[in-house]
Amino acid sequence: MGQVTCEGAWYGKADPFGEQTLAVLSFRYANGKEPHILVVGIDQPNGGLAVDAVVEEVKFLDDLGLSPAEPGVVAGRVLDAFELGDRIMGAQVADTLAAVRPLAIARALAVPGLVRQAPDGTMADFHDLPDVPGAREAFEKLAEFVGERPLWWSPARVSQFLTSWLPREAILSDPVVAAMPEVVRAWSRFNGAHPAVLHQIDVDAPRLPALMADESLAGLGKRIARQHL
């Protein structure tokens, strides 16, 4: 397909809840002609595998609303996403992915300064913790839950965190439990402020103290940790 130069990169949500992210790289041939972009859709709920890819004209980028990113990091994420998909049998991907896959990998490999397994820095950019006791520890638990896919923040994921993961996994003091809803609201406002997400917090947050006090919901790891405290 000819020698190309990478001219930029972008990364961000493909949908309001970040259930897919888009990794975009722009290229131009060595003679300066035919600028184009590679767009790879990366699934978040299933671990970050590539589920679709297209090659488009640069103007296609105008409609995506993505933030500029480091090309080597974005190219590394593209390669990581395809590699993960290769390891998962029966992964649900778009029918069109197979035809674009060889070109997408070749384009990503052509980007200098590749960074593989780069952490997502979204959590580090959050600086709006509520000024209440326990907020820092509450945010640390939230960061542990979202892990390496912080852009994925849907009503279902909020509900899982507040009603399932915290009662099963976390040992929290009363101030941290009290601070958690405000911390989750602050993070949600930072991560798009989607009304459905904020509504889900209002639905689930009042139940948190009772759920945290219910010993029957604690997982094995939490029970063992309590014995050592």
Short mmCIF file of all heavy atoms in Angstrom, two decimals, residues 108-145:
data_model
loop_
_atom_site.label_atom_id
_atom_site.label_comp_id
_atom_site.label_asym_id
_atom_site.label_seq_id
_atom_site.Cartn_x
_atom_site.Cartn_y
_atom_site.Cartn_z
N ALA A 108 -0.73 0.59 12.03
CA ALA A 108 -0.32 0.79 13.42
C ALA A 108 1.17 0.50 13.60
O ALA A 108 1.87 1.22 14.33
CB ALA A 108 -1.16 -0.09 14.34
N LEU A 109 1.67 -0.53 12.95
CA LEU A 109 3.09 -0.87 13.06
C LEU A 109 3.98 0.18 12.42
O LEU A 109 5.18 0.26 12.75
CB LEU A 109 3.35 -2.24 12.42
CG LEU A 109 2.82 -3.46 13.19
CD1 LEU A 109 2.94 -4.71 12.33
CD2 LEU A 109 3.57 -3.63 14.50
N ALA A 110 3.42 0.99 11.53
CA ALA A 110 4.21 2.02 10.86
C ALA A 110 4.39 3.28 11.71
O ALA A 110 5.15 4.17 11.34
CB ALA A 110 3.55 2.40 9.53
N VAL A 111 3.71 3.34 12.85
CA VAL A 111 3.78 4.53 13.71
C VAL A 111 5.04 4.43 14.58
O VAL A 111 5.23 3.43 15.29
CB VAL A 111 2.53 4.63 14.61
CG1 VAL A 111 2.64 5.82 15.55
CG2 VAL A 111 1.28 4.76 13.74
N PRO A 112 5.89 5.44 14.58
CA PRO A 112 7.09 5.39 15.42
C PRO A 112 6.75 5.55 16.90
O PRO A 112 5.72 6.12 17.25
CB PRO A 112 7.92 6.58 14.92
CG PRO A 112 6.92 7.52 14.32
CD PRO A 112 5.83 6.66 13.75
N GLY A 113 7.63 5.05 17.75
CA GLY A 113 7.44 5.21 19.20
C GLY A 113 6.28 4.44 19.76
O GLY A 113 5.58 4.93 20.65
N LEU A 114 6.05 3.23 19.29
CA LEU A 114 4.93 2.42 19.76
C LEU A 114 5.01 2.19 21.27
O LEU A 114 6.07 1.89 21.82
CB LEU A 114 4.92 1.07 19.06
CG LEU A 114 4.28 0.98 17.68
CD1 LEU A 114 4.53 -0.40 17.10
CD2 LEU A 114 2.80 1.27 17.75
N VAL A 115 3.86 2.34 21.93
CA VAL A 115 3.75 2.06 23.36
C VAL A 115 2.69 0.99 23.54
O VAL A 115 1.51 1.24 23.29
CB VAL A 115 3.38 3.32 24.17
CG1 VAL A 115 3.29 2.98 25.66
CG2 VAL A 115 4.38 4.42 23.93
N ARG A 116 3.11 -0.20 23.96
CA ARG A 116 2.16 -1.29 24.16
C ARG A 116 1.67 -1.30 25.60
O ARG A 116 2.39 -0.97 26.53
CB ARG A 116 2.81 -2.62 23.81
CG ARG A 116 3.33 -2.73 22.39
CD ARG A 116 2.21 -2.62 21.34
NE ARG A 116 1.21 -3.66 21.48
CZ ARG A 116 1.27 -4.85 20.86
NH1 ARG A 116 2.30 -5.14 20.09
NH2 ARG A 116 0.31 -5.75 21.04
N GLN A 117 0.40 -1.72 25.77
CA GLN A 117 -0.22 -1.83 27.09
C GLN A 117 -0.15 -0.51 27.88
O GLN A 117 0.10 -0.50 29.08
CB GLN A 117 0.43 -2.96 27.90
CG GLN A 117 0.41 -4.31 27.24
CD GLN A 117 -1.00 -4.84 26.99
OE1 GLN A 117 -1.91 -4.59 27.77
NE2 GLN A 117 -1.18 -5.59 25.91
N ALA A 118 -0.37 0.59 27.18
CA ALA A 118 -0.31 1.90 27.84
C ALA A 118 -1.51 2.08 28.76
O ALA A 118 -2.65 1.82 28.36
CB ALA A 118 -0.30 3.01 26.79
N PRO A 119 -1.30 2.53 29.99
CA PRO A 119 -2.43 2.78 30.88
C PRO A 119 -3.25 3.97 30.40
O PRO A 119 -2.72 4.89 29.77
CB PRO A 119 -1.77 3.07 32.23
CG PRO A 119 -0.41 3.57 31.87
CD PRO A 119 -0.01 2.85 30.62
N ASP A 120 -4.54 3.95 30.68
CA ASP A 120 -5.41 5.08 30.36
C ASP A 120 -5.27 6.11 31.47
O ASP A 120 -5.47 5.82 32.64
CB ASP A 120 -6.86 4.61 30.26
CG ASP A 120 -7.79 5.67 29.70
OD1 ASP A 120 -7.75 6.82 30.22
OD2 ASP A 120 -8.55 5.37 28.78
N GLY A 121 -4.91 7.34 31.11
CA GLY A 121 -4.66 8.38 32.10
C GLY A 121 -5.87 9.17 32.52
O GLY A 121 -5.72 10.20 33.19
N THR A 122 -7.07 8.71 32.16
CA THR A 122 -8.27 9.49 32.47
C THR A 122 -8.44 9.71 33.96
O THR A 122 -8.79 10.81 34.41
CB THR A 122 -9.52 8.78 31.90
OG1 THR A 122 -9.35 8.58 30.49
CG2 THR A 122 -10.76 9.62 32.13
N MET A 123 -8.21 8.68 34.75
CA MET A 123 -8.39 8.81 36.20
C MET A 123 -7.44 9.86 36.78
O MET A 123 -7.81 10.61 37.69
CB MET A 123 -8.16 7.48 36.90
CG MET A 123 -9.09 6.36 36.47
SD MET A 123 -10.83 6.63 36.84
CE MET A 123 -10.88 6.43 38.61
N ALA A 124 -6.23 9.93 36.25
CA ALA A 124 -5.25 10.90 36.75
C ALA A 124 -5.64 12.33 36.43
O ALA A 124 -5.16 13.27 37.08
CB ALA A 124 -3.87 10.59 36.17
N ASP A 125 -6.51 12.52 35.44
CA ASP A 125 -6.94 13.86 35.06
C ASP A 125 -8.10 14.36 35.91
O ASP A 125 -8.53 15.51 35.76
CB ASP A 125 -7.35 13.89 33.58
CG ASP A 125 -6.17 13.65 32.65
OD1 ASP A 125 -5.04 13.97 33.06
OD2 ASP A 125 -6.39 13.14 31.54
N PHE A 126 -8.61 13.52 36.77
CA PHE A 126 -9.76 13.89 37.62
C PHE A 126 -9.24 14.56 38.90
O PHE A 126 -8.49 13.97 39.66
CB PHE A 126 -10.57 12.64 37.96
CG PHE A 126 -11.69 12.89 38.93
CD1 PHE A 126 -12.80 13.62 38.54
CD2 PHE A 126 -11.64 12.40 40.23
CE1 PHE A 126 -13.85 13.85 39.43
CE2 PHE A 126 -12.66 12.61 41.12
CZ PHE A 126 -13.77 13.34 40.72
N HIS A 127 -9.66 15.81 39.12
CA HIS A 127 -9.18 16.57 40.27
C HIS A 127 -10.32 17.23 41.05
O HIS A 127 -10.09 18.20 41.76
CB HIS A 127 -8.20 17.66 39.82
CG HIS A 127 -7.04 17.13 39.05
ND1 HIS A 127 -6.06 16.33 39.61
CD2 HIS A 127 -6.69 17.28 37.74
CE1 HIS A 127 -5.16 16.01 38.70
NE2 HIS A 127 -5.52 16.57 37.56
N ASP A 128 -11.54 16.70 40.92
CA ASP A 128 -12.70 17.34 41.54
C ASP A 128 -13.29 16.51 42.67
O ASP A 128 -14.51 16.38 42.78
CB ASP A 128 -13.77 17.61 40.47
CG ASP A 128 -13.29 18.57 39.40
OD1 ASP A 128 -12.53 19.49 39.75
OD2 ASP A 128 -13.66 18.39 38.23
N LEU A 129 -12.43 15.97 43.52
CA LEU A 129 -12.93 15.21 44.65
C LEU A 129 -13.75 16.10 45.59
O LEU A 129 -13.34 17.22 45.89
CB LEU A 129 -11.78 14.61 45.44
CG LEU A 129 -11.27 13.23 45.03
CD1 LEU A 129 -10.14 12.82 45.97
CD2 LEU A 129 -12.39 12.20 45.05
N PRO A 130 -14.89 15.63 46.06
CA PRO A 130 -15.65 16.40 47.05
C PRO A 130 -14.83 16.58 48.33
O PRO A 130 -14.06 15.69 48.73
CB PRO A 130 -16.88 15.52 47.31
CG PRO A 130 -16.97 14.61 46.13
CD PRO A 130 -15.58 14.39 45.66
N ASP A 131 -14.99 17.71 48.97
CA ASP A 131 -14.25 18.02 50.19
C ASP A 131 -15.02 17.47 51.40
O ASP A 131 -15.59 18.21 52.19
CB ASP A 131 -14.05 19.53 50.32
CG ASP A 131 -13.16 19.90 51.50
OD1 ASP A 131 -12.49 18.99 52.02
OD2 ASP A 131 -13.17 21.07 51.90
N VAL A 132 -15.02 16.13 51.49
CA VAL A 132 -15.71 15.46 52.60
C VAL A 132 -14.82 14.36 53.12
O VAL A 132 -13.98 13.81 52.39
CB VAL A 132 -17.08 14.88 52.16
CG1 VAL A 132 -18.03 15.98 51.72
CG2 VAL A 132 -16.89 13.86 51.03
N PRO A 133 -14.94 13.99 54.40
CA PRO A 133 -14.13 12.91 54.96
C PRO A 133 -14.36 11.60 54.18
O PRO A 133 -15.49 11.27 53.83
CB PRO A 133 -14.63 12.78 56.40
CG PRO A 133 -15.22 14.12 56.71
CD PRO A 133 -15.80 14.63 55.43
N GLY A 134 -13.28 10.90 53.91
CA GLY A 134 -13.38 9.61 53.24
C GLY A 134 -13.38 9.67 51.74
O GLY A 134 -13.39 8.62 51.07
N ALA A 135 -13.36 10.87 51.14
CA ALA A 135 -13.48 10.99 49.69
C ALA A 135 -12.30 10.35 48.97
O ALA A 135 -12.47 9.69 47.94
CB ALA A 135 -13.63 12.45 49.29
N ARG A 136 -11.08 10.56 49.48
CA ARG A 136 -9.90 10.01 48.81
C ARG A 136 -9.95 8.49 48.78
O ARG A 136 -9.70 7.87 47.74
CB ARG A 136 -8.64 10.50 49.53
CG ARG A 136 -7.34 9.86 49.05
CD ARG A 136 -7.11 10.01 47.57
NE ARG A 136 -7.09 11.41 47.14
CZ ARG A 136 -7.00 11.79 45.88
NH1 ARG A 136 -6.97 10.87 44.91
NH2 ARG A 136 -6.97 13.07 45.57
N GLU A 137 -10.27 7.87 49.90
CA GLU A 137 -10.34 6.41 49.93
C GLU A 137 -11.48 5.90 49.04
O GLU A 137 -11.35 4.86 48.37
CB GLU A 137 -10.52 5.92 51.36
CG GLU A 137 -10.47 4.40 51.48
CD GLU A 137 -10.60 3.91 52.91
OE1 GLU A 137 -10.40 4.72 53.84
OE2 GLU A 137 -10.91 2.72 53.10
N ALA A 138 -12.59 6.63 49.02
CA ALA A 138 -13.71 6.23 48.16
C ALA A 138 -13.28 6.26 46.69
O ALA A 138 -13.61 5.35 45.92
CB ALA A 138 -14.90 7.16 48.39
N PHE A 139 -12.53 7.30 46.32
CA PHE A 139 -12.09 7.38 44.92
C PHE A 139 -11.10 6.28 44.59
O PHE A 139 -11.09 5.76 43.47
CB PHE A 139 -11.47 8.75 44.64
CG PHE A 139 -11.05 8.93 43.22
CD1 PHE A 139 -11.98 9.00 42.20
CD2 PHE A 139 -9.70 8.99 42.88
CE1 PHE A 139 -11.61 9.15 40.88
CE2 PHE A 139 -9.31 9.14 41.57
CZ PHE A 139 -10.27 9.22 40.56
N GLU A 140 -10.26 5.90 45.54
CA GLU A 140 -9.32 4.81 45.30
C GLU A 140 -10.07 3.51 45.00
O GLU A 140 -9.64 2.73 44.14
CB GLU A 140 -8.40 4.65 46.51
CG GLU A 140 -7.39 5.79 46.66
CD GLU A 140 -6.62 5.72 47.96
OE1 GLU A 140 -6.93 4.83 48.78
OE2 GLU A 140 -5.72 6.56 48.16
N LYS A 141 -11.17 3.27 45.71
CA LYS A 141 -11.97 2.08 45.43
C LYS A 141 -12.63 2.17 44.06
O LYS A 141 -12.72 1.18 43.34
CB LYS A 141 -13.01 1.88 46.53
CG LYS A 141 -12.45 1.35 47.82
CD LYS A 141 -11.79 0.00 47.61
CE LYS A 141 -11.16 -0.53 48.88
NZ LYS A 141 -10.43 -1.81 48.65
N LEU A 142 -13.10 3.35 43.71
CA LEU A 142 -13.69 3.54 42.39
C LEU A 142 -12.66 3.28 41.30
O LEU A 142 -12.94 2.62 40.29
CB LEU A 142 -14.25 4.96 42.27
CG LEU A 142 -14.82 5.37 40.91
CD1 LEU A 142 -15.98 4.47 40.52
CD2 LEU A 142 -15.26 6.83 40.95
N ALA A 143 -11.45 3.80 41.49
CA ALA A 143 -10.38 3.59 40.51
C ALA A 143 -10.03 2.11 40.39
O ALA A 143 -9.75 1.60 39.29
CB ALA A 143 -9.15 4.39 40.91
N GLU A 144 -10.05 1.40 41.51
CA GLU A 144 -9.78 -0.04 41.48
C GLU A 144 -10.85 -0.76 40.65
O GLU A 144 -10.55 -1.69 39.89
CB GLU A 144 -9.75 -0.58 42.91
CG GLU A 144 -9.47 -2.07 43.01
CD GLU A 144 -9.51 -2.57 44.44
OE1 GLU A 144 -9.47 -1.75 45.37
OE2 GLU A 144 -9.59 -3.81 44.61
N PHE A 145 -12.09 -0.33 40.80
CA PHE A 145 -13.18 -0.98 40.07
C PHE A 145 -13.10 -0.71 38.57
O PHE A 145 -13.22 -1.64 37.77
CB PHE A 145 -14.52 -0.49 40.61
CG PHE A 145 -15.70 -0.94 39.81
CD1 PHE A 145 -16.17 -2.24 39.91
CD2 PHE A 145 -16.36 -0.07 38.96
CE1 PHE A 145 -17.26 -2.67 39.16
CE2 PHE A 145 -17.46 -0.49 38.21
CZ PHE A 145 -17.91 -1.80 38.31
#
